[in-house]
Amino acid sequence: MSQVVLIQGSLNKESRTAVLVQHAEEELKRAGLGVSVLDLRNLQMEFCDGRSLKEYHPDMQKAFQAMDNAQAFVIGMPVYCYSVSGPLKNFIDITSGAMEKKIAGILCNAGGKQSYMASADLSNILAYESHVTTMQPIVYSSYEDYDDQTLTSDKVKSKIRELMDHLARQLKNYS
Ligand SMILES: Cc1cc2nc3c(=O)[nH]c(=O)nc-3n(C[C@H](O)[C@H](O)[C@H](O)COP(=O)(O)O)c2cc1C
């Protein structure tokens, strides 16, 4: 059972959200936490239409179970149209019941520097639907923070570390 489930929310083969998630995973392991990653690229996911969980693909049922067993989440969100990408929102629509009253960190990845408020949409969705508390700082990266698939920004790296340390401290306080 993992204490923290990291959700990689991009379907792009060359996703940079996935790069952020990988850095976050390393930081959480360094902090001694049990972690697992749900990468949306590896899941068979139907559109959410309100059916019961057992009628979705077994991948979604396993994802729900892993999240139900976890204490916290880190959600990597690609920014689409100044908000949460459609596939990630769909994933949350199916699995929000497994997040009830837990804590989460947000890793927000965009093309430009101006879309940072997109993370507030995710924070609101989590708070209103599942009473999830979003930890600070929210991490934000854009094209200029990367060299191809390598994260080059020390500022973003240190934000990831700060957020993961915060998450780890909160989890140690709970246990
Ligand atoms: C449909 C679509 C909408 C996008 N909208 C925005 C946007 O509103 N603001 C922005 O800064 N970047 C936007 N982008 C750029 C993506 O955020 C960027 O490509 C990012 O790297 C996506 O994450 P990924 O690499 O993990 O897939 C958009 C990209 C797509 C494909």
Side-chain angles (χ1 to χ4, degrees), residues 77-86 109-111 114-115 117-118 121:
M77 67 166 276
V79 174
Y80 281 5
C81 303
Y82 291 87
S83 189
V84 182
S85 64
N109 181 54
Q114 313 299 334
S115 296
M117 287 300 289
D121 289 351

Side-chain angles (χ1 to χ4, degrees), residues 10 12 14-17 78-82 109-112 115 140 143:
S10 169
N12 193 320
E14 298 185 341
S15 165
R16 285 169 167 171
T17 306
V79 174
Y80 281 5
C81 303
Y82 291 87
N109 181 54
S115 296
Y140 184 84
Y143 287 156

